[in-house]
Amino acid sequence: MTQNIYDDEDFFREYSRLPRSVAGLDAAPEWPALRALLPDLDGLTVVDLGCGFGWFCRWVREQGAASVLGIDASEKMLARAIAATGDPAMTYTRADMEWLELPPASFDLAYSSLALHYVEELDRLISVVYRSLAEGGNFVFSVEHPIFTAPSEPRWSTDSAGRKIWPVDRYLEEGPRRTDWLAKGVVKQHRTLGGYLNMLIRVGFAIRHVEEWGPTPEQIAAHPGWADERQRPPFLLIAAKKPGLDRRPHAVGARNQFHADNKQGTG
């Protein structure tokens, strides 16, 4: 079972204060680059894996998506998302992504933002996502970059010349890393760049785009504190596609079938 750190009282309180938690997508520095990887959303059926407060779910509906299913393991996160939603085409469900099942060929876009690095059995989940997508469907996601997740002690240090450096160790040793971020003992799963890409390739995805994200000069000008992120990428953004021609408009009954098959439904 995935560690549900987001329902920890201390963690949730601190996470709720982050800019992206308060102001939504536009406060996430990687959002413009991630948004550019998305297909035309008009008429699509979307599933958001690790939907959190539901910011993306609401945004895709504003862009014309036919329906959205948001999935998260956190009861606290989903309660906030449901409270902010009054749209019958948007559904939220509590589920552990380690054991998630989705109806086959039912979605046109699967999306995930900074959630998949918590999933231990990610190869299984990617297979589930592949089967759940219609032909021509897209899978767009972000995770913490492997350079960010690899170190035993992920923090900046200073070299003999006074320059900030990001030490990397155990890079090729994939597996859990226990860190202190907002709370003690947060468990994340480290994978190499090749590990992520080969999981996608093995199940049949075609890789459309890979981006080792760093802030643009314009972003640094507006937020000088982000300049250090140019020294080591904090995020990895990937867009993949299931072979075949996409279809639209697509029936919106997939979310109802999901609830019939999943006993952990909420909202």
Side-chain angles (χ1 to χ4, degrees):
M1 180 175 181
T2 304
Q3 182 192 38
N4 185 11
I5 192 66
Y6 286 83
D7 277 347
D8 177 87
E9 291 285 352
D10 294 336
F11 185 97
F12 184 76
R13 181 179 60 253
E14 295 303 314
Y15 183 83
S16 297
R17 295 171 178 169
L18 296 177
R20 68 176 66 223
S21 299
V22 175
L25 298 176
D26 289 335
E30 76 282 9
W31 169 240
L34 196 54
R35 181 181 59 207
L37 302 181
L38 297 171
D40 174 17
L41 295 164
D42 188 44
L44 298 192
T45 296
V46 180
V47 59
D48 183 355
L49 304 170
C51 63
F53 292 148
W55 292 104
F56 180 77
C57 294
R58 294 188 290 275
W59 182 82
V60 294
R61 276 289 288 156
E62 293 170 359
Q63 308 307 308
S67 68
V68 188
L69 171 63
I71 297 171
D72 206 284
S74 168
E75 185 176 1
K76 292 181 181 295
M77 301 282 275
L78 287 174
R80 186 81 63 88
I82 291 168
T85 301
D87 183 344
M90 296 170 57
T91 306
Y92 295 102
T93 294
R94 188 180 184 193
D96 184 348
M97 287 194 288
E98 299 284 0
W99 309 107
L100 181 67
E101 294 292 347
L102 295 169
S106 299
F107 300 99
D108 303 300
L109 169 65
Y111 173 88
S112 184
S113 173
L114 301 180
L116 300 186
H117 51 252
Y118 293 108
V119 180
E120 183 176 0
E121 301 294 334
L122 184 58
D123 52 350
R124 177 195 178 278
L125 178 61
I126 287 177
S127 294
V128 170
V129 170
Y130 184 86
R131 291 193 299 269
S132 77
L133 288 172
E135 290 189 3
N138 288 273
F139 184 23
V140 177
F141 67 91
S142 66
V143 290
E144 290 187 349
H145 194 284
I147 288 178
F148 193 86
T149 59
S152 302
E153 297 185 9
R155 59 177 59 90
W156 293 105
S157 60
T158 305
D159 66 12
S160 59
R163 296 171 298 194
K164 292 180 71 173
I165 58 173
W166 183 264
V168 175
D169 65 309
R170 300 172 59 203
Y171 180 83
L172 293 178
E173 296 179 22
E174 296 190 332
R177 300 289 194 272
R178 187 174 296 271
T179 64
D180 295 340
W181 177 65
L182 303 182
K184 292 186 176 298
V186 178
V187 178
K188 300 176 183 179
Q189 301 295 326
H190 166 67
R191 296 178 177 87
T192 64
L193 177 59
Y196 280 114
L197 296 179
N198 287 326
M199 282 185 192
L200 294 164
I201 292 169
R202 278 195 296 269
V203 300
F205 276 113
I207 308 298
R208 292 199 297 111
H209 184 87
V210 177
E211 182 165 344
E212 299 175 288
W213 183 88
T216 65
E218 293 76 16
Q219 287 179 311
I220 293 173
H223 305 275
W226 293 0
D228 287 338
E229 308 299 344
R230 296 291 301 178
Q231 299 190 57
R232 63 96 179 87
F235 307 124
L236 175 65
L237 281 52
I238 297 178
K241 190 176 184 68
K242 184 173 183 176
L245 298 175
D246 64 358
R247 56 182 187 180
R248 64 184 70 191
H250 174 55
V252 300
R255 66 183 189 279
N256 298 324
Q257 182 61 44
F258 175 87
H259 288 296
D261 295 341
N262 193 301
K263 297 181 179 179
Q264 294 178 298
T266 300

